[in-house]
């Protein structure tokens, strides 16, 4: 008997047996029409579907039976059709998964709980890796606390059946400020002992220690990148000008390290 005809329906009565699609930026559904000359059982075979991007699910929906087949894992589908059927029998769904998330803060210090807000679309399950050796999380929007300063890669894998997308974000965790119950260095770290000032001609740190103290000063931007550093400074009651490149407006973190103590303070250049 004559071979059946299968085509995608772009717009009635336009059918295309050979069709091409642009790069997908959103979900897409195409009706599929099958015309046969003889009532009976037929099998659809697909090839190359596994080459489609991993974040795009390709699903074949049988409108008559309601059966949905994942064409990335099952390349064939057998069905029965009458020679009187002319309406589209199937729908091909191209469903996109986009992994994304945001943080509740741009300023991360050790011991601080971070809230991750999941902004993914098209997914039904999630796996989070925080890059610090802690167990993965399968929560939709987890919280996490880093116990040590450093740079960590947070990876979110958003999945739906056999399709997935990955989003990665690098977090720089800074030292937590010294707490009030910590042993204090010479002069004590009261508010008046170390003061960060800004003026029209730049930013300064004023020290008011009881005795000479050796320390290092490092300045980081919001990305956690070190932009300047001064090492082996001896201060007592001194004022030091911070060497900020071009005095660019923004938020900076000033890390001060002494022999047995270190802490970080925020500087806002307006």
């Amino acid at each position: 008997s004559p071979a059946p005809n299968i085509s995608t329906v772009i717009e009635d009565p336009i059918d295309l047996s050979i069709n091409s699609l642009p790069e997908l930026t959103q979900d897409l559904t195409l009706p599929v029409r099958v015309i046969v000359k003889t009532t009976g059982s037929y099998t659809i075979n697909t090839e190359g579907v596994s080459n489609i991007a991993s974040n795009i699910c390709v699903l074949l929906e049988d409108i008559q039976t309601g059966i949905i087949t994942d064409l990335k894992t099952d390349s064939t589908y057998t069905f029965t059709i009458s020679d009187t059927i002319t309406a589209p029998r199937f729908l091909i769904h191209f469903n996109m998964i986009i992994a994304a998330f945001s943080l509740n803060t741009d300023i991360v210090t050790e011991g601080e709980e971070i809230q991750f807000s999941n902004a993914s679309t098209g997914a039904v399950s999630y796996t989070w890796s925080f890059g610090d050796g802690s167990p993965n999380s399968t929560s939709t929007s987890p919280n996490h606390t880093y116990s040590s300063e450093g740079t960590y890669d947070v990876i979110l894998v958003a999945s739906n059946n056999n399709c997935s997308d990955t989003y990665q974000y690098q977090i720089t965790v800074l030292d937590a400020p010294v707490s009030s119950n910590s042993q204090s260095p010479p002069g004590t770290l009261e508010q008046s002992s170390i003061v960060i000032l800004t003026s029209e001609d730049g930013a300064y740190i004023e020290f008011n220690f009881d005795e000479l103290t050796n320390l290092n000063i490092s300045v980081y931007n919001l990305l956690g990148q070190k932009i300047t550093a001064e090492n082996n400074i001896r201060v007592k009651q001194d004022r030091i000008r911070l060497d900020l490149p071009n005095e660019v407006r923004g938020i900076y973190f000033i890390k001060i390290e002494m022999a047995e103590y270190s802490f970080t303070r925020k500087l806002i250049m307006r």
Side-chain angles (χ1 to χ4, degrees):
S1 62
N5 176 272
I6 185 169
S7 58
T8 54
V9 181
I10 303 303
E11 183 178 339
D12 266 326
I14 302 175
D15 287 20
L16 297 177
S17 294
I18 300 176
N19 195 1
S20 63
L21 299 174
E23 182 178 355
L24 294 180
T25 57
Q26 59 185 5
D27 292 351
L28 175 67
T29 296
L30 293 176
V32 177
R33 193 192 318 274
V34 177
I35 302 295
V36 299
K37 297 297 184 181
T38 304
T39 298
S41 180
Y42 295 85
T43 298
I44 295 175
N45 293 281
T46 61
E47 295 181 357
V49 177
S50 60
N51 296 328
I52 295 175
S54 62
N55 70 317
I56 299 176
C57 300
V58 185
L59 306 174
L60 179 69
E61 178 183 355
D62 188 330
I63 297 174
Q64 180 175 309
T65 65
I67 296 174
I68 296 177
T69 302
D70 185 345
L71 294 180
K72 282 197 169 182
T73 58
D74 192 347
S75 61
T76 64
Y77 179 73
T78 300
F79 63 101
T80 300
I81 189 170
S82 169
D83 58 6
T84 61
I85 298 297
T86 59
R89 171 65 184 267
F90 300 98
L91 296 173
I92 295 183
H93 302 282
F94 297 89
N95 296 336
M96 295 191 66
I97 298 174
I98 300 176
F101 65 83
S102 61
L103 284 68
N104 66 326
T105 179
D106 291 325
I107 304 167
V108 182
T109 57
E110 60 185 17
E112 175 186 5
E113 185 176 69
I114 305 169
Q115 170 69 57
F116 293 92
S117 297
N118 197 330
S120 304
T121 58
V124 296
S125 62
Y126 309 95
T127 302
W128 297 80
S129 171
F130 301 105
D132 59 352
S134 62
N136 289 347
S137 172
T138 56
S139 298
T140 301
S141 295
N143 297 334
H144 190 69
T145 301
Y146 289 94
S147 59
S148 301
E149 64 174 315
T151 301
Y152 303 93
D153 290 324
V154 180
I155 300 174
L156 167 63
V157 179
S159 305
N160 189 339
N161 294 320
N162 297 291
C163 311
S164 64
D165 190 35
T166 300
Y167 180 73
Q168 180 171 321
Y169 185 86
Q170 189 172 83
I171 291 179
T172 298
V173 179
L174 302 176
D175 274 351
V178 66
S179 60
S180 59
N181 59 358
S182 297
Q183 183 182 358
S184 299
T188 73
L189 288 180
E190 297 176 353
Q191 187 68 25
S192 60
S193 298
I194 300 177
V195 179
I196 299 176
L197 304 171
T198 58
S199 64
E200 293 183 356
D201 61 341
Y204 296 85
I205 304 178
E206 284 190 351
F207 296 95
N208 184 25
F209 291 153
D210 294 335
E211 58 187 66
L212 278 174
T213 304
N214 293 320
L215 52 82
N216 301 325
I217 301 174
S218 301
V219 181
Y220 298 82
N221 61 19
L222 266 179
L223 298 178
Q225 301 166 329
K226 183 185 291 187
I227 58 175
T228 186
E230 295 186 50
N231 297 321
N232 299 318
I233 303 172
R234 290 170 61 84
V235 297
K236 184 177 180 182
Q237 296 182 0
D238 298 282
R239 170 184 282 201
I240 294 179
R241 188 179 191 279
L242 293 174
D243 183 19
L244 299 178
N246 302 319
E247 307 295 347
V248 178
R249 294 179 180 179
I251 299 176
Y252 300 88
F253 298 96
I254 314 302
K255 182 176 181 179
I256 299 175
E257 298 175 285
M258 287 162 275
E260 299 179 359
Y261 310 89
S262 68
F263 64 97
T264 302
R265 288 187 180 171
K266 181 170 66 174
L267 166 66
I268 300 177
M269 292 293 292
R270 304 184 186 279

